[in-house]
Amino acid sequence: RHLLDDPQAVEAAIWFHDAIYDSRAKDNEAKSAELAEKKLAGRASPHRIARIAAMINATATHQLPPLRDEGALNDAALLLDMDLAILGAEPAVFDAYEKAVRLEYGWVEEPMWRAGRSAVLKSFLARPHIFYTTEFRLRFEAKA
């Protein structure tokens, strides 16, 4: 929490980022962001709600959103790193996670699953760093 500019906004983004989830859908993050905007209207400032929605939407691609505020950008980086922290988990923990994800996508035939999952994981390896923040790089990058 001490690394965050707006811990409450990040917490809201965490709670809402998979509020709507269907493994067959391509718009889960957008729908989750819309739900957050709807539920938080009148409870947070429009600026904060936009920040939360931007963080939620960023989890679709794991690319930093176009935020101009340095604090908001740092918060988004930390949220994305939290979302990918499993990549740096102990092998048994990661394997259990992968098995659970495979169950979620049980409707996908094995060759398509392998190709798709491989593409996702390779996309992270193709980046200069898997994690955006120094804190997560130091803790998880080597294992990931």
Side-chain angles (χ1 to χ4, degrees):
R1 290 184 74 83
H2 74 281
L3 297 174
L4 300 171
D5 180 64
D6 188 345
Q8 292 175 325
V10 174
E11 184 175 355
I14 290 168
W15 279 104
F16 279 102
H17 93 281
D18 276 337
I20 296 177
Y21 184 79
D22 175 354
S23 66
R24 295 175 189 258
K26 302 284 186 205
D27 60 352
N28 292 314
E29 294 82 3
K31 285 185 175 179
S32 293
E34 289 172 13
L35 178 65
E37 290 170 330
K38 180 180 172 185
K39 295 293 185 182
L40 296 173
R43 297 172 189 256
S45 71
H47 175 75
R48 182 181 256 177
I49 293 171
R51 183 175 179 164
I52 292 164
M55 286 189 281
I56 294 167
N57 281 313
T59 64
T61 61
H62 284 90
Q63 299 293 316
L64 288 173
L67 297 168
R68 294 185 182 145
D69 177 276
E70 191 68 28
L73 197 56
N74 180 68
D75 284 355
L78 283 162
L79 174 72
L80 293 175
D81 284 356
M82 285 183 248
D83 201 38
L84 293 182
I86 189 66
L87 298 177
E90 293 299 323
V93 174
F94 179 77
D95 289 346
Y97 166 80
E98 281 292 298
K99 286 177 185 171
V101 173
R102 180 63 182 114
L103 286 174
E104 288 179 29
Y105 288 84
W107 54 272
V108 178
E109 293 182 28
E110 191 65 23
M112 292 298 291
W113 163 257
R114 287 178 186 240
R117 192 65 179 157
S118 176
V120 168
L121 295 174
K122 284 179 180 177
S123 74
F124 296 128
L125 291 173
R127 299 182 342 184
H129 297 284
I130 294 170
F131 299 100
Y132 289 105
T133 64
T134 302
E135 294 78 14
F136 275 78
R137 283 184 202 148
L138 292 173
R139 188 168 176 191
F140 297 112
E141 190 87 17
K143 280 186 184 177

